[in-house]
Amino acid sequence: MTSSKLPDHLHRDTLAVRVGVERSQYGENSEALYLTSSFVQPDAETARKRFANEEEGYTYTRVGNPTVSTMEQRLAALEGTEAAMATSSGMAAVLLLGMGLLRSGDHVVCSQSVFGSTLRLFAGEFAKFGVETTFVSQTDVAQWRAAMRPNTKLLFAETPTNPLTDICDIAALAAVAHEAGAVLAVDNCFCTPALQRPTLFGADFVIHSGTKYLDGQGRVMAGAICCSQKYVNDVFWPINRTVGMVLSPFNAWVVTKGMETLALRMKAQCDNALALASWLQEQPQVARVYYPGLTTHPQYDLAMRQQSGLGGAVVSFDVCATAAEQARRRAFHVIDSTQVCSITTNLGDTKTTIAHPATTSHGRLTEDQRQAAGIGQGLIRMAVGLDHIDDLKADLTRGLQQLSTLQ
Ligand SMILES: *Cc1c(COP(=O)(O)O)cnc(C)c1O
């Protein structure tokens, strides 16, 4: 199904609320939700043609669904790619990327600071099928270059990282990939196309967890790969219709409606995050703040260039402490003293979340691995939502001010 014709050269704000809609005979203004597993065929001959791919037309939702198609077209329009392939989750998108691009004997170079499940997918699951991955520094391009081999097919990056917000130089990594005849995929979950469009810097594939800011209200799981139409048609769609990591139409509909307010939410949440990060920097009980929007961030200039001048909505900080055990007690105290923030590791929600990475998202690492990653026991990560900034400050002040009275 192709979408209704829109004028050329519309602004992205308009695309975010218009792209990918084909109205049914009822003329609904809001996008219809086609919650159906199969589609009735007008006659046996048409069914034959559609199943043989000789004629366009929906047959079965694992193969295609109009609501999912709306979500794909809208995300592609925002990312600035020709097409997008929706998946059941962000991790399904990374798996589909690997299934589409890699075969036994291939080699991958990946940042060592990517999302934990992505790390395990490359290091564990892909390794079982004969794909080897070298993990390198997020920020040192020379390490990426040095890791390249004749059989390197894919470079995989994520920027900014969770929870320390390290930035990688997408243009530099794209150059390393392309010089070697490889491709670059960037997980754009933290910035979303509202802030950062990796293909503008040379990335070939953009990965999304729609579960985060695209939905934006913490309701559904979703994922996508944004890329050329050719890759969707020839590589990812044929695999996904077979393996079935497809996005549910209901979840696609929720994400589509979420994307309508994405730019507004991201702007407001980034403003909140910058205000909170600046305030945290001045608190005597805070040792260090990690936020790309602060001029003290080691890659501030790169972040501003790549991220439309905004720092994102994730802020991390270390509480002051002299030893690991004390740091953990203090971090727990600050977290447990909040009354507004949600104690959960999810991010991308309108509700501000607070978490202790060392014992949750990064709890499966060994202490040595955590030390190497710079994730200490005193580290707290916040994914700033739409709560009022004064309420967030008050929520943290409660615990921070009591730290001097703790052991
Ligand atoms: C959450 C997340 C994923 C995985 O997405 P799911 O939808 O949870 O499968 C991948 N990358 C990043 C950066 C994430 O934050």
Side-chain angles (χ1 to χ4, degrees):
M1 199 184 279
T2 51
S3 56
S4 314
K5 184 89 181 103
L6 289 169
D8 292 337
H9 308 302
L10 290 175
H11 294 85
R12 284 201 299 149
D13 290 345
T14 310
L15 298 177
V17 298
R18 297 280 173 188
V19 163
V21 179
E22 184 169 33
R23 295 198 172 96
S24 76
Q25 69 271 33
Y26 300 116
E28 66 281 351
N29 189 35
S30 177
E31 293 73 4
L33 168 49
Y34 293 97
L35 207 51
T36 178
S37 43
S38 77
F39 298 83
V40 177
Q41 306 302 307
D43 51 64
E45 176 57 14
T46 307
R48 183 197 69 76
K49 285 188 183 151
R50 288 179 180 173
F51 275 84
N53 254 342
E54 291 169 15
E55 180 184 299
E56 270 195 36
Y58 291 105
T59 55
Y60 188 57
T61 283
R62 173 154 47 72
V63 181
N65 175 287
T67 309
V68 176
S69 170
T70 298
M71 179 273 190
E72 291 170 333
Q73 290 176 48
R74 194 161 295 182
L75 178 58
L78 296 186
E79 241 344 311
T81 54
E82 282 174 8
M85 175 83 223
T87 55
S88 51
S89 69
M91 286 318 302
V94 185
L95 174 56
L96 183 61
L97 180 85
M99 290 181 78
L101 301 183
L102 304 170
R103 60 181 60 234
S104 178
D106 285 346
H107 176 247
V108 177
V109 182
C110 181
S111 164
Q112 65 198 7
S113 312
V114 293
F115 188 65
S117 296
T118 304
L119 217 111
R120 280 186 288 279
L121 180 61
F122 280 109
E125 305 308 321
F126 285 155
K128 284 199 290 202
F129 297 95
V131 171
E132 207 187 326
T133 301
T134 306
F135 295 96
V136 293
S137 152
Q138 168 80 358
T139 52
D140 182 359
V141 180
Q143 273 194 34
W144 291 74
R145 198 181 299 277
M148 298 298 287
R149 301 180 192 167
N151 58 337
T152 305
K153 294 286 159 50
L154 171 68
L155 278 66
F156 192 97
E158 176 187 316
T159 183
T161 57
N162 177 30
L164 296 179
T165 72
D166 286 332
I167 311 287
C168 69
D169 187 334
I170 299 172
L173 296 186
V176 173
H178 297 158
E179 278 162 26
V183 293
L184 172 67
V186 175
D187 182 332
N188 199 24
C189 171
F190 269 54
C191 278
T192 82
L195 270 60
Q196 170 174 282
R197 283 189 289 161
T199 55
L200 293 180
F201 301 95
D204 304 281
F205 301 92
V206 181
I207 297 292
H208 276 290
S209 168
T211 315
K212 311 294 168 52
Y213 294 101
L214 300 184
D215 166 10
Q217 289 146 85
R219 299 164 293 191
V220 301
M221 306 290 302
I225 305 173
C226 299
C227 59
S228 69
Q229 189 73 58
K230 189 169 163 50
Y231 262 100
V232 167
N233 291 355
D234 298 352
V235 178
F236 299 125
W237 177 72
I239 296 174
N240 212 23
R241 63 174 287 183
T242 304
V243 303
M245 302 184 290
V246 295
L247 183 58
S248 121
F250 179 79
N251 292 2
W253 183 83
V254 170
V255 173
T256 296
K257 301 309 281 179
M259 283 190 283
E260 296 190 350
T261 56
L262 176 67
L264 288 176
R265 283 186 283 105
M266 287 307 287
K267 176 75 174 74
Q269 290 177 228
C270 289
D271 288 351
N272 249 359
L274 176 60
L276 191 71
S278 309
W279 176 82
L280 278 167
Q281 258 189 331
E282 286 157 17
Q283 304 312 303
Q285 306 88 350
V286 172
R288 181 167 171 192
V289 182
Y290 306 83
Y291 184 66
L294 294 175
T295 53
T296 49
H297 189 283
Q299 296 141 309
Y300 172 77
D301 292 329
L302 174 60
M304 292 302 105
R305 225 170 35 243
Q306 257 177 201
Q307 302 179 189
S308 313
L310 292 170
V314 175
V315 178
S316 295
F317 61 99
D318 284 314
V319 294
C320 290
T322 47
E325 192 43 46
Q326 185 197 38
R328 183 200 289 210
R329 264 201 316 279
R330 289 182 160 207
F332 276 23
H333 182 77
V334 171
I335 293 169
D336 290 340
S337 301
T338 60
Q339 295 170 1
V340 173
C341 295
S342 312
I343 304 177
T344 172
T345 55
N346 193 30
L347 63 103
D349 202 311
T350 49
K351 297 175 175 65
T352 302
T353 64
I354 190 164
H356 186 248
T359 54
T360 57
S361 55
H362 295 70
R364 281 192 273 179
L365 300 184
T366 64
E367 189 55 37
D368 281 351
Q369 285 172 323
R370 263 196 303 274
Q371 297 262 326
I375 297 163
Q377 294 292 335
L379 185 72
I380 294 174
R381 191 208 69 186
M382 297 183 68
V384 182
L386 294 176
D387 304 284
H388 194 283
I389 181 67
D390 293 345
D391 295 335
L392 295 177
K393 289 179 187 171
D395 222 27
L396 293 175
T397 300
R398 204 173 296 117
L400 285 173
Q401 284 188 344
Q402 290 164 352
L403 287 188
S404 54
T405 65
L406 285 188
Q407 277 302 299

